[in-house]
Amino acid sequence: MFLINCPYCGERDQAEFSCGGEAHIARPKNPPDLTDDQWAEYLFIRKNDKGLHYERWNHAFGCRQWFNLARNTATDEILAVYKMGDKPPKLYANVPITPSGEPDIGSGNLSTSKKK
Amino acid sequence: MTTKKKYSFFSIAKNALSHHEQWQKTWNSPEPKKNYDAIIVGGGGHGLTTAYYLAKNHGIKNIAVIEKGWIGGGNTGRNTTIIRSNYLWDQSAALYEHALKLWEGMSQELNYNVMFSQRGVLNVAHNLHDVRELKRRWHANRLNDIDCEWLDTKKVKQFCPIINTSPHIRYPVLGATLQRRAGTARHDAVAWGYARGADEMGVDIIQNCEVTGINIKNGNITGIETTKGTINSNKVGVAAAGHTSVIANMAGIRLPLESKPLQALVSEPVKPVIDTVVMSNTIHAYVSQSDKGELVIGAGTDGYTSYTQRGGFNIVEDTLMAIVELFPIFSRMKMLRHWGGIVDICPDASPIISKTHINGLYFNCGWGTGGFKATPGSGWVFAHTIANDEAHSLNAPFSINRFSSGELVDEHGAAAVAH
Amino acid sequence: MKRLQNNKNIEKNKIINFYFDGKKYQGYKGDTLASALLANKIHLVGRSFKYHRPRGIVSAGSEEPNGIVQLETREYTEPNRRVTEIQIYEGLKAFSQNNWPFLNFDLGAINDLLSPFFPAGFYYKTFMWPPKFWKTYEFFIRHAAGLGKSPKKDDPHKYEHFHYHCDLLVVGSGISGLYTAEIAAKNNLKVLLIEQENEFGGEILSSHGDNPKINNIPINIWKNDIINKLKGYSNVKIISNTTCFAYFHYNLLLAIQDLEPEKGLSKTHEIRQRIWKIRSKKVVLATGAIERPIIFNNNDRPGIMLANSARKYLNKYGVSVGQNLLFFTNNDSAYETAIDFFHKGLNVQAIVDVRNETNGHFTKIAKDLGITILNGYEIVNTIGRLRVQEVKLKKLHTNNIDENKSSITIKCDTICVSGGWTPTVHLFTQSKGKLKYRDLDGSFIPERAFQNTLCVGSCNGDYDLHKILESIPSNLNNFLDLKGSKLSNEENYKTDKVLNDNHKNIWITSKQKISKTKMFVDFQNDVTAKDIKLALKEGFQSIEHVKRYTTTGMATDQGKTSNVNALGIISELTNTDISELGTTTFRLPYTPVTFGALAGRHVKEFFDLERTTPMHDWHVNNNAMFEDVGQWKRAWYYPKKNENFSSALNREVKATRDSLGILDASTLGKIDIQGRDVSEFLNRIYTNAWSKLEIGKCRYGVMLGDDGMVIDDGVTTRLGEYHYLMSTTTGNAASVMSKLEDWLQTEWPELEVYLTSVTEQYGTISLNGPNSRKLIEKINSDFDFSKNNFPHMSYKNINLCGIDCRVMRISFTGELCYEINVPSVYAKYLWDICIDKGQEYNITPYGTEAMHVLRAEKGFIIVGQETDGSVTPVDLDMDWIVSKKKFDFVGKRALNRSDTIKKDRKQLVGLKTKDPKIILEEGAQLVEKITTLPMKMVGHVTSSYYSPNLNSSFALALIKGGLEKKGEKLFAPMQNETIEVEITDPVFIDPQNTRINQ
């Protein structure tokens, strides 16, 4: 259970929030000009990164405000919280050394992976 | 490749005499060769069945299954083992029913007892909307020749006497569908059984080998980079579940997937108390009892992307609230073990079993919370797709292209209740 | 029940009677069931899972693998309770599990003789023929498996959840935990100290009490002092009987507190257990260590137990676990136990030590006392069926010599085993801290914390008290950042250095004979070293595979005493370093946790909140039947005496069309929308155009997702230039609100729009039927309700009985309708007036079912019934509502995808059965041709009713290409009959809209 620092209310339990998925996917300004593939890209295609991930959260059982949050999906560390419209901060994350590997610490799968 | 000695009661008795020191390896763990006719990335149920059916149905035997950890260690070994085929849409029903038929002969075909237990699955309705939707599915199943029955509340009680069918509970049981051929299986055994079968046909099962790159030349796949070196092949099938996006990324392919935590738990083992599988989508309660005696309980997914195999505990609490609501006698039972997995979910809650724009690269993913039941069917059609470079009729509707055309197979069921 | 000393932990003046397997015994207040049974010389308490071998109590804590019982009967019963954790109370009833007919004589023990045929995973290799027989095999397997029995009655108790926030949580109240808590307390931190046992003190309780000494004070007195001091701090809370079982992100820990440990069969409805949800800024884990068994042949007989546990029974409870004791160890700690037993006058047969040489502090004392020490020996076998009687020893490394010559046989009734210690790192690894393997004592110990976590004492792999006391202040200084702290040197605790010899790893004795022996690794699941060897032989190499194949570590103790030993055996058999094998995952919970406790108060009437309308009591008093719609309770129909569902329904439907019906529509979602850009906002989220809607007018809108599929519909009214009131469906109110906020805040922050949910601020009374105008005129005779002044799809603010109401002329029935939005507090008042004044028009309250019939007769859809997330407005034949002029709106682009523009999509049509008496079943599937199965389906029935107005049944359906097929025939193949239907227009009543426009 995360402790999320709502930019409007402060630290609250994750149960008060809902996640809106990947952030910074702008709705195209010219939908009629897009191909079906391009529209599908906007609608459905997601980065789904293992590691640093920018996403939207809503303080649903609080101020009802949406905001952005940067999280390491390989460890669930929350790295930054910032308001809608703000630019994503450049961050360092304790990401896996190999793409589908596990980070040095904080992984859910640590104890089964053999490190050499 | 070694011929496997047949398992039977007599083989156990015979081996007992030699103090069980003469058993063969269930599967071998060779070092990877330089070249294969096909590589399967992912040694879970879907990857192993794909290799098995490539060898068995399509005669391609020079295959490597590449697993970054231990086979069956992902969602295959973490799910609540519910197997059923009572899906709404024709496309899904056909695919899952094909799988169910394979389940029905699996232990004998593999000579490995996967303990497929056709104890029936109840899908419970709690309001009029549920009744309407479940009846819609029941009639569709009937006409698709998939066994399904509608039980009214009284019959639900007869079939599963420990369900609380009091009309006074918050969301009373208004009826249920029952698929009698549905049930559960021993999940680990499925991975081991198919690994043994594939191994016997010459498939190399390579564990502790992580894929670190996909090699592509002129739009054709040429092989993969791994922690055990380069392995070449002009056919690569990816069945990497929660990590599919990570692999796809290496090939520059973007997919409509989100990987989310899914949690489950078991109780302490007790003597038989529930002889069927009960599922309630409305209040989120899924329970059956393993042959060992543990109540196996599935929770819902968390609403965010994560690869940590851990979710929020509020989800587990909600699940147990629902379990205690539906089965008040379980209130004094105890949670013994809890775990999480990573499920890759498509926007329409249906899988992708598809070719890609890179020749020789295939994806089998997006099974979300329900891939275990499809394991043999999924491998069957994915093997066909890889062998023929063309989808089997059963998986043609599950191509990546559907997200552009809009021809989704939306298995979320109906939208929330209204009016 | 004899006790050896006057022990403070049990109250000897309070005798307690209890029953085990129906036989009456006595113990004292303060006893656990285990200590009381042992005092009554009962070791044998259960039978093992697979082979039904007689098993005795092994430990004195939550790690107990064998001593598990069914506690109590009827609604109070609970399976698989550990005897070491049950505090006895008057009348306690416990029953051994997994045996028949008796614990002493269990027919299931035949499995032990047949054990050669039940190796690990035997069930994967057999029971396959004939295929149909699996059900039968499975029946027997299931009945043989399982331990205790599930309760069969509802739980009479309650459970609750408790949230706690603190600066420092200390888990464990041994020396390290107490010391930590005291330092934090002095520094004014808000501290919570939790202890899983009923008493504070941890390992101190097992000790002799006089030794060791801290600052020259005997440990027992030191402990009592510090606990008293802690209790005096207002910033400290200390609780016992509370087990911390989970450690999540952001220092959220869950603990379960047992509130009735001694009360026993308390009255019903009392709170039995409480879950603590603790968010602590920092966490110190002082969770101690668990003693390890040593694996030898027949190491599972009753009377064979962990040495330190035997010591705890001796020192805490005054119970001697035997008269003739033999010790078997690979480290110094067992010597302390042996010395304690020796001092109590018990017969210590020998200390068997696998180490060739020992010179530690306690080994010297033991030698000085004249205790026989057999260095360099190991146990090779034990004898004794229901209790160990004899042990066979062999000199280590003597394979070449005749075995008999080097072996010794010793009679004993108890073997106290110590294979070293396993730090309790469960919570640490749950916190995602990193472990490292220490070869010196074969332990996984904390290496690096991931969160704000510090491990102290033996859970950190530190066993030397001198060093622990020395390191705690400085470690805490850093960890708690205690600059200018109140720590001062004179307050620091010190103890004498004690010399201990090194531990010697011994994972398994008689390695070469594994296959012919029964060396139990996991007692409860009956996993032997032989099983592990077999698993490895069969190619199961990963520790996770071995665990799953053999089931080691998967019993109710989750391998607390067995996991490291299993690793050690694998390591020895495969010549692999343990650090390379890794451990299996330590999963939560630390000890099993009651479902009911996890559900807390959210059961029964609190399972989910029930939303009711202001008129709810009226519906109840007027015999309404209710329907759950989302969380709402909606009146479904109002049967009168002698009426059934359909007769009540027909009456309600007919009365509304003929004269006047009244519906409680308060549950519809209502969103107040204001701001400079509201019209533009509505243009973007609805398919149709809004800018030109006049103030005081209403418009129907359909909302899509950006995938083009219908997600909601409803009527929105323009109250002012910059003010609208949107209505949503009942079930989607919250999700629509959240979606709208999402669009505004994420995508269109440039729009000035404010959304406020006013669903609960207004009650909605819907008057429907040709006489509705007459009624409303009766209520306010001053207002001009004529069609000209107040036409269909318009809105007026009207005073009704002194209440300011928003009245809309919108209709979901196709009848003349006034929908009155009245402030909630007055809604019931106005409802009563409507009912009263409506009597002359036979005003008829109707429920949701009649509402469904009335709207379906008019061809109005219900989102979620006519739609299922795969339906576009075009599919619903509502092309007219999709603006062609607007450049963009949510969902527009998706309506032009290759699949959504297909002509043969499933489309909304009406259906009439050939026989008007037959009502189709909702959800029924439709086909063009009856064939053998599988049949090709072309669509399904979404809504179906009998209409007393049409005197026939009718239905709505989604049919492939249906819009082009009106007049054609279809079939609904039901289970016992086939129903012929004709595709019609979906509007069955008043297609010209004359009634609605009156």
Side-chain angles (χ1 to χ4, degrees), chain C residues 371-422:
Chain C
I371 296 172
T372 311
I373 297 171
L374 296 167
N375 278 111
Y377 274 84
E378 63 174 4
I379 295 180
V380 290
N381 202 358
T382 68
I383 290 156
R385 197 171 68 88
L386 300 178
R387 174 88 189 248
V388 65
Q389 292 166 350
E390 204 175 284
V391 56
K392 221 171 164 188
L393 309 175
K394 181 175 80 68
K395 190 99 179 134
L396 275 159
H397 313 299
T398 52
N399 298 332
N400 301 334
I401 309 167
D402 179 6
E403 203 174 276
N404 288 328
K405 276 186 187 166
S406 64
S407 70
I408 304 175
T409 301
I410 298 178
K411 290 218 180 295
C412 62
D413 61 9
T414 307
I415 305 176
C416 300
V417 182
S418 176
W421 295 84
T422 304

Side-chain angles (χ1 to χ4, degrees), chain A residues 37-98:
Chain A
D37 282 347
Q38 285 168 322
W39 191 250
E41 172 90 13
Y42 154 69
L43 263 188
F44 299 126
I45 302 295
R46 296 294 176 262
K47 283 186 186 149
N48 202 24
D49 282 327
K50 182 171 190 176
L52 187 54
H53 190 252
Y54 296 92
E55 60 200 16
R56 300 180 315 120
W57 284 76
N58 181 16
H59 196 182
F61 297 96
C63 63
R64 289 211 328 249
Q65 292 298 301
W66 285 88
F67 56 90
N68 294 310
L69 186 150
R71 190 167 50 89
N72 182 352
T73 59
T75 62
D76 281 341
E77 288 162 284
I78 295 170
L79 305 167
V81 173
Y82 55 104
K83 291 183 182 174
M84 278 299 155
D86 291 356
K87 275 193 180 151
K90 286 237 153 56
L91 294 161
Y92 164 79
N94 160 33
V95 296
I97 302 149
T98 52

Side-chain angles (χ1 to χ4, degrees), chain C residues 600-618:
Chain C
R601 294 303 298 270
H602 304 278
V603 293
K604 298 182 179 140
E605 66 268 38
F606 302 123
F607 174 66
D608 196 13
L609 68 85
E610 212 172 80
R611 297 177 79 183
T612 54
T613 70
M615 290 77 102
H616 185 74
D617 289 348
W618 190 93

Side-chain angles (χ1 to χ4, degrees), chain B residues 20-21 26 71 108 113 117 119 132 135-136 139 142-143 170-171 186 291 310 331 333 335 418, chain C residues 80 116 124 128 138 142 155 157 430 515 538 545 593 595-596 608 631 863 868 921-922 935 973:
Chain B
H20 299 289
E21 300 229 6
T26 315
I71 60 165
Q108 289 70 33
N113 192 348
S117 170
R119 54 181 71 178
R132 208 177 288 126
K135 282 193 172 173
R136 177 184 174 193
H139 292 306
R142 248 184 344 100
L143 299 184
R170 181 69 185 87
Y171 296 112
R186 175 83 186 93
D291 284 349
R310 158 184 281 196
S331 175
M333 293 288 289
M335 173 171 82
Chain C
N80 309 335
Y124 301 126
M128 286 177 280
E138 189 184 36
R142 286 188 68 197
D155 191 340
H157 286 111
Q430 284 181 26
S515 300
E538 291 195 89
H545 278 150
V593 180
F595 284 0
D608 196 13
Q631 290 173 320
V863 171
D868 59 5
E921 186 163 57
E922 287 174 351
M935 261 187 249

Side-chain angles (χ1 to χ4, degrees), chain C residues 223-263:
Chain C
K223 176 201 79 180
N224 292 337
D225 285 352
I226 202 166
I227 291 166
N228 285 333
K229 273 195 266 177
L230 287 174
K231 283 179 178 165
Y233 282 99
S234 62
N235 56 326
V236 176
K237 192 173 183 72
I238 61 175
I239 47 173
S240 58
N241 287 316
T242 306
T243 305
C244 193
F245 65 87
Y247 194 149
F248 297 98
H249 276 294
Y250 296 88
N251 274 353
L252 173 72
L253 291 94
L254 300 190
I256 183 161
Q257 183 177 21
D258 203 347
L259 294 170
E260 45 129 48
E262 295 164 33
K263 280 188 271 173

Side-chain angles (χ1 to χ4, degrees), chain C residues 21-41:
Chain C
D21 276 347
K23 202 175 158 196
K24 188 172 168 182
Y25 298 95
Q26 289 186 327
Y28 296 114
K29 189 167 188 316
D31 265 327
T32 61
L33 182 54
S35 68
L37 285 168
L38 289 168
N40 284 286
K41 302 197 188 316

